[in-house]
Amino acid sequence: MTEPGDVPPEVLDRLRPICLGLPETYEEPAWVGIRWRVRKRTVAHVFTVDPARQVVHARAAELDRPACLLTFRSPLDEIAGLLSGGHPFYKPDWSPTVMGMVLDGGADWVEIAELLSESYCMLAPKRLAALVGPPAPATS
């Protein structure tokens, strides 16, 4: 396991209020980076990939330099739409509903909040998912 310092603090500062604002979501260290979970299901996972160390992730995101990545769940009927826009989205091979995105200076935090709310609703019990309204406005 690595320390949360592997993820830029400004990225964690943006993701924490989004993820922890979802009912019963908690944060924990992952094998690398940080993940947010509901009932032991991973809603979002953020980490910095070094192409020399995490080859599978770097290949999936088509990276040749270190970058901060976010993975989350997306409904099957929305994946093609996300991918059609190209960068920052990519599709890892290991699950049909897992999506990834490169978090760089052009990150759209309103869209990220919507995507993570959707990821949460796919994984949370129906009772908890029903409590999720529109995402909170992103802070600048």
Side-chain angles (χ1 to χ4, degrees):
M1 246 187 262
T2 59
E3 296 299 318
D6 291 340
V7 177
E10 59 274 12
V11 170
L12 289 175
D13 289 346
R14 299 299 292 265
L15 286 172
R16 280 187 172 122
I18 295 168
C19 294
L20 296 176
L22 298 166
E24 296 185 25
T25 301
Y26 59 95
E27 178 180 308
E28 67 181 17
W31 60 273
V32 64
I34 298 292
R35 64 184 170 194
W36 290 271
R37 305 182 96 187
V38 61
R39 306 275 171 95
K40 297 189 180 190
R41 295 178 181 145
T42 301
V43 172
H45 180 195
V46 65
F47 50 99
T48 298
V49 165
D50 176 349
R53 293 182 60 211
Q54 292 101 7
V55 177
V56 173
H57 285 278
R59 190 177 317 129
E62 298 179 6
L63 298 173
D64 59 2
R65 60 181 172 67
C68 187
L69 302 180
L70 173 67
T71 60
F72 54 93
R73 297 287 176 155
S74 185
L76 290 172
D77 61 346
E78 293 186 17
I79 289 174
L82 292 172
L83 292 173
S84 70
H87 181 83
F89 296 103
Y90 67 94
K91 179 69 184 86
D93 292 341
W94 46 90
S95 172
T97 60
V98 171
M99 277 297 298
M101 70 183 299
V102 178
L103 294 179
D104 54 21
D108 179 343
W109 290 98
V110 171
E111 181 178 36
I112 291 168
E114 292 170 3
L115 292 168
L116 296 184
S117 292
E118 206 165 53
S119 178
Y120 174 87
C121 288
M122 287 180 67
L123 299 170
K126 288 181 184 181
R127 174 185 64 78
L128 293 177
L131 300 175
V132 177
T139 57
S140 42

Coordinates of all heavy atoms in Angstrom, one line a residue, residues 21-25 38-39 117-135:
G21 N -19.8 13.1 0.5 CA -21.2 13.6 0.6 C -22.2 12.6 0.2 O -23.4 12.9 0.3
L22 N -21.8 11.4 -0.3 CA -22.7 10.4 -0.6 C -23.0 9.5 0.6 O -22.1 9.2 1.4 CB -22.1 9.5 -1.8 CG -21.9 10.3 -3.1 CD1 -21.0 9.5 -4.0 CD2 -23.2 10.7 -3.7
P23 N -24.3 9.1 0.8 CA -24.6 8.4 2.1 C -23.8 7.2 2.3 O -23.6 6.3 1.5 CB -26.1 8.0 1.8 CG -26.6 9.0 0.8 CD -25.4 9.3 -0.1
E24 N -23.3 7.1 3.6 CA -22.5 6.0 4.1 C -21.2 5.7 3.3 O -20.7 4.6 3.4 CB -23.4 4.8 4.2 CG -24.5 5.0 5.3 CD -25.4 3.7 5.5 OE1 -24.8 2.6 5.3 OE2 -26.5 3.9 5.9
T25 N -20.7 6.6 2.6 CA -19.5 6.4 1.8 C -18.3 6.7 2.8 O -18.4 7.6 3.6 CB -19.4 7.3 0.6 OG1 -20.5 7.1 -0.2 CG2 -18.1 7.1 -0.2
V38 N -18.8 2.2 -0.6 CA -20.1 2.0 0.1 C -20.3 0.5 0.3 O -20.2 -0.2 -0.7 CB -21.3 2.7 -0.6 CG1 -21.5 2.2 -2.0 CG2 -22.5 2.7 0.3
R39 N -20.5 0.1 1.5 CA -20.7 -1.3 1.8 C -19.6 -2.2 1.1 O -20.0 -3.2 0.4 CB -22.1 -1.8 1.3 CG -23.2 -0.9 1.9 CD -23.6 -1.4 3.3 NE -24.5 -0.5 4.0 CZ -25.9 -0.7 4.0 NH1 -26.4 -1.7 3.3 NH2 -26.6 0.2 4.6
S117 N -21.6 10.3 -8.6 CA -22.9 10.1 -8.0 C -23.6 8.9 -8.7 O -24.2 8.1 -8.1 CB -23.8 11.3 -8.2 OG -23.4 12.4 -7.4
E118 N -23.4 8.8 -10.1 CA -23.9 7.7 -10.8 C -23.3 6.4 -10.4 O -23.9 5.4 -10.3 CB -23.7 8.0 -12.3 CG -24.7 7.3 -13.2 CD -24.6 7.9 -14.6 OE1 -23.5 8.0 -15.2 OE2 -25.7 8.3 -15.1
S119 N -21.9 6.5 -10.3 CA -21.2 5.3 -9.8 C -21.7 4.8 -8.5 O -22.0 3.6 -8.3 CB -19.7 5.6 -9.7 OG -18.9 4.5 -9.3
Y120 N -21.9 5.7 -7.6 CA -22.5 5.4 -6.3 C -23.8 4.7 -6.4 O -24.1 3.7 -5.8 CB -22.6 6.7 -5.4 CG -23.3 6.4 -4.1 CD1 -22.6 6.0 -3.0 CD2 -24.7 6.6 -4.0 CE1 -23.2 5.8 -1.8 CE2 -25.3 6.4 -2.8 CZ -24.6 6.0 -1.7 OH -25.2 5.8 -0.5
C121 N -24.7 5.3 -7.2 CA -26.1 4.7 -7.4 C -26.1 3.3 -8.0 O -27.0 2.5 -7.7 CB -26.9 5.7 -8.2 SG -27.4 7.2 -7.2
M122 N -25.1 3.0 -8.8 CA -24.9 1.7 -9.3 C -24.6 0.6 -8.2 O -24.9 -0.5 -8.4 CB -23.9 1.6 -10.4 CG -24.3 2.3 -11.7 SD -22.9 2.2 -12.9 CE -22.9 0.4 -13.2
L123 N -23.8 1.1 -7.2 CA -23.3 0.1 -6.2 C -24.0 0.1 -4.9 O -23.9 -0.9 -4.2 CB -21.8 0.5 -6.0 CG -20.9 0.4 -7.3 CD1 -19.6 1.0 -7.0 CD2 -20.8 -1.1 -7.7
A124 N -24.6 1.2 -4.5 CA -25.2 1.3 -3.2 C -26.5 0.6 -3.2 O -27.2 0.4 -4.2 CB -25.5 2.8 -2.9
P125 N -26.9 0.1 -2.0 CA -28.3 -0.5 -1.8 C -29.3 0.6 -2.3 O -29.1 1.8 -2.2 CB -28.4 -0.7 -0.3 CG -27.0 -0.8 0.2 CD -26.2 0.2 -0.7
K126 N -30.4 0.1 -2.8 CA -31.5 0.9 -3.4 C -31.9 2.0 -2.4 O -32.2 3.1 -2.8 CB -32.6 0.1 -3.9 CG -32.4 -0.7 -5.1 CD -33.6 -1.5 -5.6 CE -33.2 -2.3 -6.8 NZ -34.3 -3.1 -7.3
R127 N -32.0 1.7 -1.2 CA -32.5 2.6 -0.1 C -31.5 3.8 0.0 O -31.9 4.9 0.1 CB -32.6 1.9 1.2 CG -32.9 2.8 2.4 CD -32.8 2.0 3.7 NE -31.5 1.5 4.1 CZ -30.5 2.2 4.6 NH1 -30.7 3.5 4.8 NH2 -29.4 1.7 4.9
L128 N -30.2 3.5 -0.1 CA -29.2 4.6 -0.1 C -29.2 5.4 -1.4 O -29.1 6.6 -1.4 CB -27.8 4.1 0.3 CG -27.7 3.5 1.7 CD1 -26.3 2.9 1.9 CD2 -28.0 4.5 2.8
A129 N -29.2 4.7 -2.5 CA -29.2 5.3 -3.8 C -30.3 6.3 -4.0 O -30.2 7.4 -4.6 CB -29.2 4.3 -4.9
A130 N -31.5 6.0 -3.4 CA -32.7 6.8 -3.5 C -32.5 8.2 -2.7 O -33.2 9.1 -3.0 CB -33.9 6.1 -2.9
L131 N -31.5 8.2 -1.8 CA -31.2 9.4 -1.1 C -30.4 10.4 -1.9 O -30.2 11.6 -1.5 CB -30.5 9.1 0.2 CG -31.2 8.2 1.2 CD1 -30.4 7.9 2.4 CD2 -32.5 8.9 1.6
V132 N -29.8 10.0 -3.0 CA -28.9 10.8 -3.8 C -29.7 11.7 -4.7 O -30.4 11.3 -5.6 CB -27.9 10.0 -4.5 CG1 -27.0 10.9 -5.4 CG2 -27.1 9.1 -3.6
G133 N -29.5 13.0 -4.5 CA -30.1 14.0 -5.4 C -29.1 14.5 -6.4 O -28.1 13.8 -6.6
P134 N -29.3 15.6 -7.0 CA -28.3 16.1 -7.9 C -27.0 16.4 -7.2 O -27.0 16.7 -6.0 CB -28.9 17.5 -8.4 CG -30.3 17.6 -7.8 CD -30.5 16.4 -6.8
P135 N -25.9 16.3 -7.9 CA -24.6 16.5 -7.2 C -24.5 18.0 -6.7 O -25.0 18.9 -7.2 CB -23.6 16.2 -8.3 CG -24.3 16.2 -9.5 CD -25.7 16.0 -9.3

